[in-house]
Amino acid sequence: MKSLYIIIIVFMAGFSVSAQSTEKVKWYTIDEALKLNANAPRKILIEVYTDWCGWCKKMDAETFNHPVIAKYINKNFYPVKFDAESKAPVTFAGQTFVNQDKTHQFAVALIRQGDGRMSYPSVAYLSGKLEKIGAIPGYYTPAEIEPLLHYIVEEKYKDNVKLEDYEKTFVSELNKK
């Protein structure tokens, strides 16, 4: 009987670890995220990528597939993957965006920097009221993106708290067992 308990405990521990490590981000289209947001407002995270972008693939594999990051994103955001070279029109906030040349107008509206540059990957953040919070260009590791995600969810930007100051006291969940 004691052996049976040990086997059950080992099995349950293994199942728990494997269940945690398989958490993936549940990506939505922009239309799906907008419909979900209409019923239950939540911040929207939009990863703007291209098929040819190596750093985009690396961020998907290493950052968004990290179980702690994936779990937090799924719980607190409606995550959207948006191909900056998509040909499909997007209607957002009463405006229709299209791809007139090579880059989709919706991607430009989300991530274009003040100097006109576009960078992939970039992640745009919208409030539950669909207001643009900001867009962050470049590749981020799990350790780099985790405090940023919490900062946005906790709306520290509204309190004029600088991200750099927030990061000094942030307690990561990445290495907790």
Side-chain angles (χ1 to χ4, degrees), residues 21 31 57 72 84 91 97-98 111 116 142 144-145 150 158 162:
S21 65
D31 290 336
K57 292 173 182 152
Y72 192 79
T91 300
F97 297 89
V98 296
I111 68 168
E144 291 168 333
I145 204 168
H150 284 261
K158 287 185 175 180
K162 292 182 181 178

Side-chain angles (χ1 to χ4, degrees), residues 68-69 72 142-151 154 156 163-177:
V68 171
I69 301 303
Y72 192 79
E144 291 168 333
I145 204 168
E146 184 190 23
L148 175 61
L149 295 171
H150 284 261
Y151 176 83
E154 295 171 24
K156 294 298 184 181
L163 177 60
E164 299 79 26
D165 294 335
Y166 178 79
E167 289 174 323
K168 291 175 187 172
T169 59
F170 178 75
V171 179
S172 176
E173 296 286 323
L174 293 176
N175 298 318
K176 291 186 179 180
K177 302 218 177 192

Side-chain angles (χ1 to χ4, degrees), residues 35-167:
K35 286 177 187 168
L36 289 166
N37 191 66
N39 292 326
R42 190 188 288 185
K43 289 177 178 49
I44 298 175
L45 173 155
I46 305 174
E47 180 199 12
V48 182
Y49 72 98
T50 63
D51 288 337
W52 49 262
C53 170
W55 287 107
C56 300
K57 292 173 182 152
K58 183 175 175 70
M59 193 157 161
D60 280 343
E62 296 177 6
T63 304
F64 292 125
N65 278 338
H66 190 287
V68 171
I69 301 303
K71 182 177 180 180
Y72 192 79
I73 288 172
N74 288 336
K75 180 180 177 189
N76 294 287
F77 294 90
Y78 294 122
V80 172
K81 286 184 74 63
F82 186 76
D83 182 351
E85 296 176 343
S86 170
K87 302 294 183 205
V90 170
T91 300
F92 179 81
Q95 184 177 353
T96 299
F97 297 89
V98 296
N99 186 332
Q100 291 179 324
D101 187 13
K102 185 167 172 75
T103 305
H104 202 287
Q105 292 173 333
F106 188 59
V108 172
L110 290 172
I111 68 168
R112 180 191 262 159
Q113 302 297 308
D115 60 5
R117 286 182 300 133
M118 301 280 290
S119 178
Y120 309 111
S122 285
V123 180
Y125 299 91
L126 305 177
S127 73
K129 295 180 180 179
L130 306 180
E131 298 160 333
K132 185 174 172 183
I133 297 168
I136 310 295
Y139 169 81
Y140 277 71
T141 65
E144 291 168 333
I145 204 168
E146 184 190 23
L148 175 61
L149 295 171
H150 284 261
Y151 176 83
I152 290 169
V153 168
E154 295 171 24
E155 299 184 338
K156 294 298 184 181
Y157 56 91
K158 287 185 175 180
D159 299 329
N160 293 319
V161 174
K162 292 182 181 178
L163 177 60
E164 299 79 26
D165 294 335
Y166 178 79
E167 289 174 323

